[in-house]
Every structure is written in C-alpha cells, then in structure tokens.
Amino acid sequence: MRISIFGLGYVGAVSAGCLANEGHEVVGVDPNETKVGLINSGRSPVVEKDIDRLIEKAVSKGLLRATQDAEEAVLASDMSLICVGTPSQSNGNLDLKFVRRVCEEIGTALQNKDDFHVVVVRSTMLPGSMRSIVIPTLEEYSGKQAGTDFGVCNNPEFLREGTAVYDYYHPPKIVIGETDAKAGDLLVNIYDRLDAPLIRTSIETAEMVKYADNVWHALKVGFANEIGNICKAVGIDGHEVMEIFCQDRKLNLSPCYLKPGFAFGGSCLPKDVRALTYKAKSLDLDVPILNAIMPSNQRQIEKGLSMITEKGRKKIGILGFSFKAGTDDLRESPLVEIIERLIGKGYDVRIYDRNVKIASLIGANRDYILNHISHISKLMVDDIDAVLQHADVIVIGNTSEEFRDVPKMISDGQVIIDLVRIVDRSSAGNYDGICW
C-alpha cells in the first residue's frame, strides 16, 4: 500500500521505518527540513533502538522517502497517518494546533483527488477530538464528506520510547476506531502480519482506550512507589513485596476488579485500605494515591444515590443489597448506605435479596440484620414481583442471575438503574447504567 505519514517524531519515524520494511511505499511529511533531509539520506531523525537500520534499509530499496510538500504526499498515497504531537497547554488541556494544521493540508490536497483516501489519526487526543476537530476540518478544506468521499480512522499507538520498534512488531493489541467499514478494512490490511488481538470499534472508544492505558500505567507506577515507601519505612524490601504481588495473575494482574460499576464494600477492602493508610500516616508518609481510594469509593456511592433521587419518583425497589452476588455479607455494603439515606429522605423503599432473606432466618448475619439494621429488614419482601409491583424506580444492586430478566419485566413508566451492568447494554429510555 502507498502510505503518507505526517509528523516524523518518535511515532511517525518508527511507523515509517517499520511500514516500509513491510513492503509498503512510504512517504514521510514534516515541515522540519532537517528531519526530511535525515530520512532521505537514510538516517533516523530520532534516537531509537533499531530504527536507524530499518530506515537505511528502506531508503536504499526505494520504499521510503520524505518531503515537506503535503499535497504531493497525499496525491502519491492511498492512506495518510497523522503522527504529530499533541502537547499540553498550561491548563492541562491538549494543544491540537498541529493536528488541525495537518488536517487542513490533507483536506486541501483531497480536493484534487478522486480516489478514496483514508486518513488515520495515531496522535493521542481526548475523546471527541475526531468529531469536533479532525472530521470537520477535513470536510471543510476538502469540500467532501467523511465516510463517503474519504475514510477516517483513529488508530492509537502503543509504543514505548526505547523499545518502540519491538513494540510495533509485538503490540499488545491493535485498536481501530472507524467512521466506516471501508476505511477500517483498508487500515486492517497494513497490520495483517502482526500477531495481536484486533479490535474494531467507534472512533470515540479508540480515543479513550489510549487514555485509559496511559493513565493506568501512571497509576501503577505511583501505586508501586507508595507501597514501596511504606515497605521501606517498616524495614521490608518493597521489590520483594511487589514481585510476589505480580505473581498473582488471577486477581492482581488480570481483568478482575477492572470493570466500571458501583462502589466496593465487604469485610476486607474498606477495612484494609483504612488500616494501611493509617499506618502510613503514623509513619509520617504521604500516600496521596492510597489516601484517595476511600473518598473515590464514596463518590461512587454519591453518584448512585443521585441517579436514584434525580428520577423524581418516591417508590424505590432495590434488587440485591449484599455487597456482591452469591453472599449474604452486608458488612460495609454500599447498598445499605444507599437504602438508609433513601429512608432518611422519606422514600418508600422495598428490598429483595434472596441470600439476605435466608441469612435473616439462619445465617451468620442474622444478628446484624435483625438488630443493627432492623429498620431495613422490615422493608424486605419475598420475591422480585413484590418489588416490581411496588416501585417506580428499580435499582439492580448485584449481579445475581435471577435479576437478568428484570429489564424485560418492567412496565411502562418504570425506570431501571443498573449499578452492575446486569444486561450488556440497553438503549431504552427507561434504562440507566451507572458508568455506561
């Protein structure tokens, strides 16, 4: 395929060298005359392991060249990759002036091109940037329509400086956000030799995935450092602790606990977060990440409560209020706090949880249910139907299998607030998910 690459920094230079060595005809575009000259002389404009060799080889074979002429590059290619920088502004927002400028250049060039051309953004941009800046700019300057006259994709890169060439050939995943299937199909072709999961999604999801990745990586560094600082203060080797931590691939390094939803509760997590942060405080250690966990969890409880009260209905039904499905444990259940606050505000509440109902008769939580939250236990009913017959707003509080058909059981006028994603998704106006 013939590919033009706008921006010859780390991402652009590595992409150019690797794509050319895959046999594609690549032309790099950059306003910097020095970078263009380095590419054309077979040298890399960036310091990166192995890229010098790849660029020299590609240039010698006639598969890679560079230019300052954007229109010439677009007319000589089938696809353009935008790899320009998106630096921070003083307020933390992104400065997208380079992206906008390149889109103006590509759009202008597309006026003189009849063939279907695909514009692929690899630069890191906040969700909504493709719709608000990239596509409108391309359409304005080309006089053509995205998705019909030309294609647009978002294709985030997952390259680390120092190992970028290796990462290009061994990506953790390939994510393609597309405006139309034709554009996505053409972009998929340039990755057909790479062994990695291929995900095709919306352009907004693709934009957000990159941020989720990078912020998660930053959080991991900060978390490890705070654990390490506590370890050092109590005479423990932090590296040994985290090496043992990382051997757990079932819970620690896994998808577990990484699904957006409601707040955590139970007998372990709240207690142990508080204990460790108290220990850090007693050692005069500042651990802002660890200290933020409980306030963050409380914000999710507040969000759940607001979703209920904002519906403007007084009759509320709660399905599941143990802290997770399959248990009768109510210790620090965030649903208990929600229920108590609703009662205090004068809402008419009915509650059903099969496991808690059994526990109130014979379980280990019997004393807690009957003596500590007796005001709540009096609101419990015997089955789902009793909740549905009472409530205008139905809150699904845990993932018990018996709640899966509830979205199909409600009548007109009733609203579901789903705190656990009991169904994959619903576009119905009477359904509201907490993080989706």
Side-chain angles (χ1 to χ4, degrees), residues 37-59:
L38 285 169
I39 290 285
N40 287 330
S41 65
R43 291 179 291 166
S44 172
V46 299
V47 177
E48 181 65 39
K49 185 176 183 295
D50 296 328
I51 195 60
D52 265 318
R53 175 180 55 82
L54 294 182
I55 288 176
E56 181 182 15
K57 180 181 175 183
V59 171

Side-chain angles (χ1 to χ4, degrees), residues 48-50 159-160 163-171:
E48 181 65 39
K49 185 176 183 295
D50 296 328
L159 308 177
R160 297 167 295 173
T163 60
V165 172
Y166 177 87
D167 291 342
Y168 181 91
Y169 287 113
H170 304 86

Side-chain angles (χ1 to χ4, degrees), residues 252-416:
N252 292 347
L253 305 185
S254 76
C256 289
Y257 306 111
L258 285 175
K259 291 182 174 63
F262 196 43
F264 62 77
S267 60
C268 296
L269 300 188
K271 171 180 71 71
D272 292 344
V273 170
R274 284 193 292 262
L276 190 61
T277 52
Y278 176 83
K279 182 65 175 179
K281 183 178 180 180
S282 71
L283 295 167
D284 290 328
L285 293 175
D286 186 18
V287 286
I289 292 175
L290 300 183
N291 284 335
I293 294 173
M294 293 306 295
S296 175
N297 200 55
Q298 186 61 36
R299 295 294 82 75
Q300 202 69 348
I301 297 174
E302 300 288 347
K303 181 176 182 179
L305 180 63
S306 294
M307 289 176 68
I308 298 169
T309 58
E310 287 170 0
K311 300 302 180 187
R313 317 283 184 86
K314 281 296 184 180
K315 292 185 176 182
I316 310 298
I318 309 289
L319 296 177
F321 75 112
S322 59
F323 85 97
K324 68 177 180 179
T327 176
D328 62 355
D329 196 347
L330 296 174
R331 286 173 291 182
E332 301 213 42
S333 169
L335 265 302
V336 170
E337 179 175 342
I338 290 281
I339 293 166
E340 289 187 321
R341 292 177 67 174
L342 288 172
I343 295 171
K345 291 176 179 288
Y347 285 83
D348 187 0
V349 181
R350 296 292 183 275
I351 309 161
Y352 170 73
D353 190 312
R354 181 172 59 86
N355 290 320
V356 176
K357 188 67 176 179
I358 294 170
S360 69
L361 300 175
I362 60 172
N365 282 329
R366 175 180 167 82
D367 177 70
Y368 178 77
I369 295 168
L370 298 181
N371 296 316
H372 295 272
I373 57 168
S374 59
H375 55 301
I376 291 179
S377 66
K378 293 174 183 177
L379 304 176
M380 294 176 63
V381 296
D382 292 329
D383 53 42
I384 295 173
D385 287 339
V387 171
L388 298 183
Q389 290 170 13
H390 166 80
D392 296 318
V393 177
I394 296 100
V395 180
I396 301 180
N398 65 41
T399 57
S400 177
E401 285 289 333
E402 61 181 327
F403 302 149
R404 293 200 174 276
D405 290 331
V406 167
K408 302 175 185 176
M409 299 165 62
I410 64 171
S411 59
D412 291 342
Q414 289 183 307
V415 177
I416 285 181

